[in-house]
Amino acid sequence: MEVHALRKRGWSISAIARHTGRDRKTVRAYLNDERTPGVRKRREPDPFEPFVDYVTCQLAEDPHLWARTLCDELEELGYRLSYPTLTRQIRDRGLRPVCKACATATDRANAIIDHPAGEEALCGVPHKVSYEEPDNMRRPPGRVDAGLVRRQH
């Protein structure tokens, strides 16, 4: 914005370059809208670009397709990037379509099932919950439980 403002005031490209600490070619590129400040041009082609159409088609067919499954399919097609890169590319490029059925999931009525403390409700049926260690569990040597101290004689 500063480069454009200075140019409107009649400053020369060289004067703007000296004032902003930029190269004259950079200032000229900003003024001609050939570059955007803070955005770097890739030196090499985008390695994900060959897979965009395939990913788009697969996700359009099944919006619930797991990214791990998709990554396995892509690896067979020559995909050499990582799984986190795939998920980031899907998210950043907006490739996963919105499922209309899932989009309204927050609008569904939620049932709150009352149950006494110490019990969990599974499928609406209360079940006792035990927080004690089962008798068949072995403790590692030297383990001290809260409230219990082993004395050595």
Side-chain angles (χ1 to χ4, degrees), residues 17-84:
R18 280 192 301 274
H19 177 74
T20 59
R22 302 280 185 242
D23 188 80
R24 290 179 313 198
K25 293 181 288 272
T26 303
V27 171
R28 189 173 289 115
Y30 288 162
L31 292 171
N32 294 332
D33 291 327
E34 296 169 2
R35 278 200 194 157
T36 305
V39 177
R40 292 185 173 258
K41 184 179 175 183
R42 292 180 79 83
R43 291 183 179 237
E44 54 196 45
D46 183 3
F48 188 74
E49 192 62 37
F51 304 102
V52 171
D53 290 338
Y54 182 82
V55 170
T56 303
C57 288
Q58 292 297 90
L59 291 174
E61 186 176 315
D62 180 9
H64 300 104
L65 181 64
W66 289 1
R68 180 70 255 170
T69 303
L70 187 56
C71 188
D72 292 341
E73 291 177 12
L74 291 173
E75 286 170 353
E76 291 177 9
L77 298 172
Y79 179 78
R80 299 290 171 247
L81 301 172
S82 67
Y83 170 76

Side-chain angles (χ1 to χ4, degrees), residues 111-133:
I112 298 174
I113 303 170
D114 290 325
H115 58 278
E119 293 184 355
E120 286 184 359
L122 302 173
C123 304
V125 179
H127 295 275
K128 283 285 187 193
V129 178
S130 174
Y131 295 102
E132 298 174 8
E133 189 174 274

